[in-house]
Amino acid sequence: MHGPIAAAPDGRTLLRDGAPFFWLADTCWSAFTSISDREWEDYLDLRAEQGFTVLQLNTLAQWDRCNAPGDRHPFATPDGICYDFTRPDPAYFAHARAMCRTAVEKGFTLALVVMWCNYVPDTWAARIFPENVMPEDCVEPVVRTICENFREFAPVWIVSGDTDFKSEAACTRYRQVTELVEQYAPGLPKAYHICGRSDDLPDWFARHADFYLYQSGHNRAGQDCAFTLAEHFAALQPRRPVINSEPCYEQMGYSHKEYGRFRRQETRRALWQSLLAGACAGITYGAHGVWNWQREGVPARKLVRVPGQPPATFGEGFLRALPWERAVRFPGAADYAFARQFMLQGGGEALVPCQEILAAYAPQVRAARRGRQVLIYLPVNAPLPLQGDWSGYTATALDLNGTAARVPLTVDLQQEQTLLGMHPFYEDALLILQPKQGN
């Protein structure tokens, strides 16, 4: 088993067992409740073959998961929805430990959510689902149970799940959970999974975080958060590695019942914009149908939200997911795996944003330095003007649409700017500027 991951001395990247480590995570939030043993083996084997290194899992029940035959529950429940938090189920935690053991034996690092926001008072999910807010006197025994069952696997503790910190009640609860994790699982890294499009991480939590996680999320109009939030968290002090831990999921329906789905190119855009804008420690991938573990022909779960309202489907009204067997093979996973390979080929060196070199098309075009090399993500094909004289560099375009083809670009000095020629690829590309020999 690998040791815990940690921040590298540069404060921007990660190490595991002393070697450069790139966080390539998959969100499989519903694993412990919903996945059969055979499915778990198949899933782990495929994600390991694809190059994934981290699994983001919820230690308790994911409130907006799909129905599952033989659903497992962490606590006694009369209806499969509401829990008696005073009665944890030892069989659930024993089975979850066995799943973790299999995963770490296959080389994965676990990132385990301790307390998703629906269990925490005065959060957005608690207001939708008030029946399952955890009573205060249950918090200590529940967190102790989680730590005692999973700390042997050297996980990253994701203390919060999809949360905001807008109320004192929520902040008080998360400070309590943080201190309990530090008490019962000392020495392991911690982070906070923040709700979509939010930069809200109060100072107390920032000081207790080993990494900064953010979520650019599934709102079609908020996709610029992939780079704006990367910039925000990369500028925080103390400096920590930054990761977009929930970009738009492939084939996820746009949130708030807007018609449409995120496709491969959109998930790839979020990936590269995140990495080059300051979130270069890693990236998380998500497939709609995997995170919630959708099965063919199984209806969506229902709950009664607030007394007097009709039954409603869990979650934010996303379009129905495809079955997990199809979702786990969506093509975008290969784009994320390629990014990991590309980043590690650079020796795990941090990317340092350099937007100042761009003469046009910022902010969607992203630029960063890796040592003396300059990388530019170009989401749309067009000649690209740069500030100053770049005639001492060669320029290459790398096709990101699954081919990894490379072509040279012209570098044309025009007065006080340099114009990079247009690449021939159909979709997005990564431009690589390398100093010529002798420069």
Side-chain angles (χ1 to χ4, degrees):
M1 187 177 79
H2 293 284
I5 63 175
D10 62 17
R12 299 180 187 272
T13 57
L14 298 171
L15 299 174
R16 186 172 73 173
D17 299 331
F21 179 80
F22 186 83
W23 175 296
L24 178 57
D26 190 32
T27 45
C28 196
W29 301 126
S30 311
F32 294 162
T33 57
S34 305
I35 303 180
S36 73
D37 293 342
R38 180 70 237 179
E39 291 169 342
W40 184 239
E41 287 277 357
D42 291 345
Y43 166 79
L44 292 176
D45 288 343
L46 177 60
R47 286 299 192 232
E49 179 183 343
Q50 291 169 323
F52 284 82
T53 58
V54 177
L55 301 175
Q56 293 179 197
L57 313 173
N58 197 344
T59 61
L60 304 181
Q62 182 73 24
W63 72 294
D64 50 357
R65 68 194 184 280
C66 295
N67 274 326
D71 218 10
R72 296 179 292 272
H73 296 280
F75 307 97
T77 175
D79 55 8
I81 296 176
C82 294
Y83 290 126
D84 180 350
F85 295 107
T86 67
R87 297 170 60 197
D89 182 359
Y92 171 89
F93 288 99
H95 189 268
R97 279 200 314 275
M99 294 177 73
C100 290
R101 190 168 294 109
T102 302
V104 299
E105 287 172 354
K106 294 179 183 291
F108 290 101
T109 288
L110 304 177
L112 301 180
V113 175
V114 180
M115 195 73 65
W116 204 268
C117 65
N118 60 286
Y119 298 111
V120 173
D122 208 13
T123 62
W124 66 269
R127 289 186 283 274
I128 294 174
F129 192 15
E131 298 90 339
N132 252 10
V133 172
M134 190 177 295
E136 183 176 357
D137 59 359
C138 293
V139 175
E140 190 275 341
V142 168
V143 175
R144 184 177 71 246
T145 296
I146 290 169
C147 291
E148 290 175 348
N149 275 278
F150 300 115
R151 64 193 175 196
E152 68 177 280
F153 304 110
V156 176
W157 295 114
I158 302 181
V159 176
S160 68
D162 211 10
T163 199
D164 51 39
F165 296 94
K166 296 186 182 302
S167 75
E168 184 54 37
C171 289
T172 297
R173 175 62 54 86
Y174 277 125
R175 285 193 291 267
Q176 179 187 13
V177 174
T178 299
E179 290 168 348
L180 288 168
V181 167
E182 292 173 343
Q183 176 182 349
Y184 291 116
L188 294 173
K190 303 181 303 301
Y192 300 88
H193 181 60
I194 306 170
C195 64
R197 307 178 304 284
S198 176
D199 63 2
D200 183 21
L201 187 66
D203 289 344
W204 190 94
F205 297 99
R207 290 195 302 272
H208 285 257
D210 294 278
F211 323 127
Y212 297 135
L213 307 184
Y214 70 91
Q215 176 189 169
S216 57
H218 317 291
N219 185 294
R220 185 174 65 90
Q223 289 306 295
D224 284 359
C225 290
F227 54 84
T228 61
L229 290 176
E231 292 174 326
H232 170 81
F233 284 102
L236 289 186
Q237 294 295 327
R239 179 185 292 170
R240 310 284 196 209
V242 181
I243 298 163
N244 187 349
S245 63
E246 193 170 329
C248 55
Y249 289 174
E250 192 166 5
Q251 283 293 300
M252 182 76 109
Y254 302 147
S255 63
H256 307 300
K257 300 183 180 180
E258 184 177 354
Y259 179 71
R261 293 184 187 269
F262 291 103
R263 300 183 182 180
R264 180 181 187 177
Q265 184 176 4
E266 293 163 302
T267 63
R268 189 170 63 237
R269 179 180 297 197
L271 152 69
W272 286 103
Q273 288 180 334
S274 300
L275 293 180
L276 271 66
C280 67
I283 190 72
T284 297
Y285 172 76
H288 192 37
V290 171
W291 71 271
N292 50 352
W293 214 254
Q294 177 69 57
R295 285 183 168 83
E296 186 74 59
V298 177
R301 301 180 75 233
K302 301 283 185 178
L303 72 113
V304 177
R305 296 188 177 195
V306 177
Q309 293 186 1
T313 302
F314 279 76
E316 294 187 69
F318 301 118
L319 294 176
R320 183 177 173 86
L322 292 172
W324 75 268
E325 296 96 332
R326 292 187 62 188
V328 78
R329 297 184 181 275
F330 286 159
D335 296 328
Y336 280 60
F338 174 79
R340 172 179 174 255
Q341 295 170 359
F342 182 88
M343 294 292 287
L344 290 179
Q345 285 169 2
E349 189 170 3
L351 303 183
V352 180
C354 57
Q355 290 296 99
E356 69 277 3
I357 73 171
L358 300 175
Y361 306 130
Q364 284 76 22
V365 173
R366 307 307 303 183
R369 297 183 185 274
R370 181 166 68 174
R372 299 189 67 204
Q373 190 180 68
V374 174
L375 307 176
I376 303 172
Y377 174 69
L378 198 63
V380 175
N381 194 356
L384 183 66
L386 302 180
Q387 302 284 7
D389 181 358
W390 291 83
S391 58
Y393 284 72
T394 61
T396 304
L398 171 62
D399 184 15
L400 295 175
N401 188 27
T403 73
R406 297 174 184 248
V407 298
L409 299 179
T410 58
V411 180
D412 185 14
L413 179 62
Q414 300 179 352
Q415 296 181 345
E416 296 181 356
Q417 292 186 352
T418 299
L419 187 68
L420 302 182
M422 190 167 76
H423 68 73
F425 304 130
Y426 186 71
E427 294 185 2
D428 49 350
L430 188 68
L431 309 187
I432 305 169
L433 277 63
Q434 193 77 34
K436 295 178 181 177
Q437 280 191 335
N439 288 343

